[in-house]
Amino acid sequence: MTILPSRAGTKGVPRAARERQVLAAATAGFGRHGYEATTVAAIAARVGVTKALLHHYFGSKQDLYLACLDPVGDRLLDGIRAAMAEHASGAPPTALRVLRALFTVLDGQREAWFVLYDATLPPDSDAARRAAYYRGAIDELAASGTAELLAAAGSGDPLDADALAHAWRGLCTALVRWWVNHPDESPEAMAQRCARLFTAGRTLLADG
């Protein structure tokens, strides 16, 4: 990513602050509409700067996408790893700790999850490869967690673990999508809601 050294801002706004505004608008745009349908011109208009200035600050559209992707990808990995490593007495189950971490990381930028899981990225591009790296790393963590869960339940079938890992990814995506449509729900409220849903699910399966 090319960022020129000038610290000048626009309309009295310091450059660092303007860059944060651009990244917030770009993350929302990429997350809501996908890479293909999001234009640099639309992001610039939303922030109130020119397209030329945005290119001056961030370079190409792909550079801007990567500037949005890397911070959220790194924060998600750090948050999930920390949640999985927690072994405090009385701590919630691993799945609930991971969901709480996910909601906490995404709070304020909920659409960022869909920046990571964007099906419209150009094939064989740096953007697609970088997103695939983060998705793969998250999938590895999910595979580790689901394999441990199944082993504790007496299942050693690798296909069971693979199916559960895919189901987990779909569950996370569905929950974040619901959360985006319910902006008043805090991360803690979402974590508590998931705990209630998990309890209800266990009850339903037990009754069955």
Side-chain angles (χ1 to χ4, degrees):
M1 181 178 70
T2 302
I3 298 179
L4 300 182
S6 170
R7 295 183 179 179
T10 57
K11 299 180 181 178
V13 179
R15 173 165 177 166
R18 186 65 84 191
E19 287 178 353
R20 289 193 294 271
Q21 292 174 348
V22 170
L23 289 175
T27 298
F30 289 133
R32 291 170 186 167
H33 309 297
Y35 183 92
E36 185 177 354
T38 301
T39 66
V40 171
I43 295 168
R46 182 173 180 180
V47 178
V49 299
T50 65
K51 181 179 174 181
L53 182 73
L54 196 150
H55 282 304
H56 176 76
Y57 279 6
F58 290 98
S60 68
K61 175 181 171 178
Q62 179 171 249
D63 291 332
L64 178 57
Y65 169 84
L66 291 171
C68 297
L69 172 69
D70 284 340
V72 70
D74 290 339
R75 291 198 304 271
L76 280 169
L77 285 176
D78 289 345
I80 293 170
R81 286 169 179 152
M84 293 181 69
E86 183 182 347
H87 297 293
S89 177
T94 302
L96 290 175
R97 297 199 307 270
V98 168
L99 285 172
R100 177 179 277 109
L102 187 153
F103 298 137
T104 300
V105 167
L106 294 176
D107 191 30
Q109 280 191 318
R110 301 179 186 187
E111 297 89 352
W113 179 262
F114 303 102
V115 175
L116 185 63
Y117 291 92
D118 188 341
T120 72
L121 295 172
D124 298 322
S125 65
D126 288 343
R129 284 188 288 271
R130 190 64 175 167
Y133 159 76
Y134 284 116
R135 292 195 302 268
I138 291 173
D139 284 349
E140 286 182 7
L141 292 170
S144 172
T146 53
E148 290 180 6
L149 178 65
L150 288 170
S155 172
D157 187 335
L159 289 180
D160 282 355
D162 186 58
L164 184 55
H166 277 73
W168 175 253
R169 183 201 299 173
L171 174 64
C172 291
T173 298
L175 286 169
V176 173
R177 194 178 301 280
W178 187 90
W179 192 33
V180 168
N181 293 325
H182 294 79
D184 292 337
E185 292 284 301
S186 69
E188 183 58 31
M190 282 298 296
Q192 293 175 4
R193 188 176 304 281
C194 289
R196 294 194 297 273
L197 293 175
F198 280 24
T199 298
R202 286 195 297 271
T203 301
L204 179 63
L205 291 173
D207 288 345

